Amino acid sequence: MKNSTNQSIKPITTRRNDYGYLEIGGCDLTELANKYATPLYVIDEATLRAVCNDYKDAFKDYEKVNFMYASKALCTSAITKIVASEGFGFDVVSGGEIYTVYKAGVDMKKVLFNGNNKTVDELSLAIETGVGHISVDNFLELTMLNEIAKSYGKTVDIFLRVTPAIECHTHEYIKTGNLDSKFGFDLSQVDEAIELIKDEYTNLNLRGLHAHIGSQIFETQVYHDEIDILVTELVRIEKKHGVKLDEINIGGGLGVKYVETDVPPSTHKIAEVIINSVKLSCEKHNVNYPTIYLEPGRSIISTSGVTLYTIGSQKQVPNGRKYVAVDGGMADNPRPSMYQAEYTAEIVNKPANEDLQKVTICGRYCESGDVIIKNIELPNPEAGDVLCVYNTGAYNYSMASNYNRTQKPAMVLVNSGLSDIIVKRESLDDLLEHDVIPSRLK
Ligand code: LLP
């Protein structure tokens, strides 16, 4: 079976150039660091498009599949344009994400709105901009959405988000399909929701069921179990309520390779499991194959992104660790401190394997937990060296903060030797932009 891009730690264009310097997308990373300053997010367009093609190729034998990129992983206007140009739709989870994809000119019919506590304003924006599906999460939202849709004189296509009670082996904070979850209807609440939609909520058009098990998943059996539960539920709903549903949204979650010990399945393997599971369940119940919606986020964007930092101070703890500090950290990548996430890195301007020292890469923020990589071997790291941390495309910029009143980094898109800013570095004035001094303090 084919390997796929999510199984690689580095962007597909990563190489050492003739000077021994690291290069991505045909751009020398030391030059990018000089030109745009650090910390710097770099996105390799070729890798991003390769992942999209992996997905399309993997599912080419199943006609009715819709890829909805989970833009929470990384949502910017340029990234949206690229992903849309690959024929993908979008899973959005806020007014901000709706607005971004709308302004980027996305066909809003290919957008799906998720979330466990959507506001009236967000639901209204979704209806005004013509979002294709809304995945309704709870009873309050059913009532609200019906009211809002009615006030616009529209009928809205919806999924019901359900909790399939499946445990997957990932970090506690990024599991979502388990029984004790804040997301979605418990399966025991589905009948009541369907009766309400049938009898009262005439501005809602139920199209199918939605579930999402969790994120950074390496197992395939959980998808099989999830699909069987969703298909069985569709069959049960038709029998009990006479409501025929022909769409299932199985969420996202496919993992990526952050470190050598990570072994995520390929997109082709996941596709095989998903397609076979759908066929098996449908044949068991003697029903037609449904349209499948997928919401991959991390596996689409993670591998294409790296972060460049400049190395600064060092501290050798007597008889202990050697800390090497960089000019970023938990504000541009909160994942190590939130989820004990692990990363791989290389020094850009030094041969990878000479004069190796075991060090701990820490950030510049005022917290001891601000560590990016514990115990990594690097070739004699010194102040001024540029460090490239791999696989930072997903949930880094999207979760970045201004902690310690620092400016969020810039983001650059590289392709075939060209580099373009796609997110500007924040300035000191940007930090003050939303501050207001009441007149009595002036
Ligand atoms: N669909 C739904 C309903 C979701 O909640 C998520 C992620 C996705 C799709 C996309 O999942 P992915 O393919 O990216 O695994 N901040 C965490 C990840 C949180 C994921 C939340 N939901 C992290 O940095 O690991």
Side-chain angles (χ1 to χ4, degrees), residues 70 72 91 161 174 212 215 253 295 297-298 335 339 395 399:
K72 62 177 81 65
D91 150 22
R161 167 104 182 238
I174 54 178
H212 168 76
S215 201
E295 303 172 331
R298 187 192 316 267
R335 300 193 68 260
Y339 318 113
Y395 304 113
M399 292 172 69

Side-chain angles (χ1 to χ4, degrees), residues 151-335:
S151 72
Y152 282 92
K154 289 196 177 164
T155 304
V156 189
D157 283 345
I158 63 166
F159 286 112
L160 281 189
R161 167 104 182 238
V162 297
T163 333
I166 292 171
E167 287 287 340
C168 55
H169 297 100
T170 188
H171 193 281
E172 195 61 37
Y173 293 178
I174 54 178
K175 282 184 189 174
T176 45
N178 46 323
L179 200 55
D180 180 11
S181 160
K182 70 170 182 172
F183 295 102
F185 292 90
D186 187 85
L187 287 177
S188 64
Q189 298 167 326
V190 167
D191 283 337
E192 188 183 344
I194 304 243
E195 272 158 24
L196 284 168
I197 297 167
K198 249 178 79 178
D199 301 339
E200 293 181 36
Y201 298 148
T202 48
N203 291 73
L204 305 183
N205 179 22
L206 181 60
R207 301 302 310 266
L209 297 179
H210 171 209
H212 168 76
I213 318 168
S215 201
Q216 184 61 356
I217 295 175
F218 290 176
E219 306 144 281
T220 54
Q221 179 68 29
V222 286
Y223 287 100
H224 173 82
D225 296 348
E226 178 194 13
I227 288 164
D228 197 43
I229 289 172
L230 292 180
V231 171
T232 305
E233 199 54 17
L234 292 193
V235 173
R236 193 192 67 78
I237 290 169
E238 183 171 2
K239 271 205 192 116
K240 175 152 187 183
H241 301 277
V243 176
K244 193 167 170 44
L245 306 176
D246 54 9
E247 298 185 346
I248 56 171
N249 177 352
I250 60 181
L254 175 60
V256 300
K257 187 179 180 77
Y258 288 106
V259 289
E260 282 303 334
T261 48
D262 287 339
V263 189
S266 67
T267 39
H268 286 78
K269 179 70 201 167
I270 273 294
E272 182 187 275
V273 170
I274 290 174
I275 294 169
N276 286 345
S277 305
V278 168
K279 291 187 172 169
L280 212 68
S281 285
C282 290
E283 279 153 23
K284 185 169 78 183
H285 295 289
N286 198 19
V287 291
N288 291 337
Y289 300 153
T291 299
I292 302 174
Y293 286 76
L294 297 170
E295 303 172 331
R298 187 192 316 267
S299 57
I300 299 289
I301 194 68
S302 187
T303 316
S304 59
V306 303
T307 307
L308 303 183
Y309 299 102
T310 303
I311 289 176
S313 65
Q314 307 200 359
K315 174 181 174 181
Q316 174 67 59
V317 177
N319 306 317
R321 283 180 203 285
K322 180 169 186 179
Y323 285 97
V324 171
V326 294
D327 55 353
M330 65 189 292
D332 58 79
N333 181 3
R335 300 193 68 260

Side-chain angles (χ1 to χ4, degrees), residues 4-6 12 44-57 86 267-268 299-300:
S4 60
T5 317
N6 67 311
I12 58 173
D44 182 38
E45 186 175 344
T47 303
L48 174 52
R49 291 195 186 274
V51 182
C52 295
N53 283 316
D54 284 343
Y55 267 97
K56 288 188 277 191
D57 188 51
E86 291 293 337
T267 39
H268 286 78
S299 57
I300 299 289

Side-chain angles (χ1 to χ4, degrees), residues 41 43 71-77 79 307 331-335 343 392-401 407-411 422-426:
Y41 297 112
I43 302 286
S71 52
K72 62 177 81 65
L74 176 61
C75 183
T76 81
S77 304
I79 298 296
T307 307
D332 58 79
N333 181 3
R335 300 193 68 260
Y343 284 89
T392 60
Y395 304 113
N396 275 228
Y397 175 72
S398 65
M399 292 172 69
S401 75
Q407 303 100 293
K408 287 191 195 133
M411 190 179 298
I422 56 170
V423 178
K424 289 189 220 158
R425 185 176 300 282
E426 287 180 348

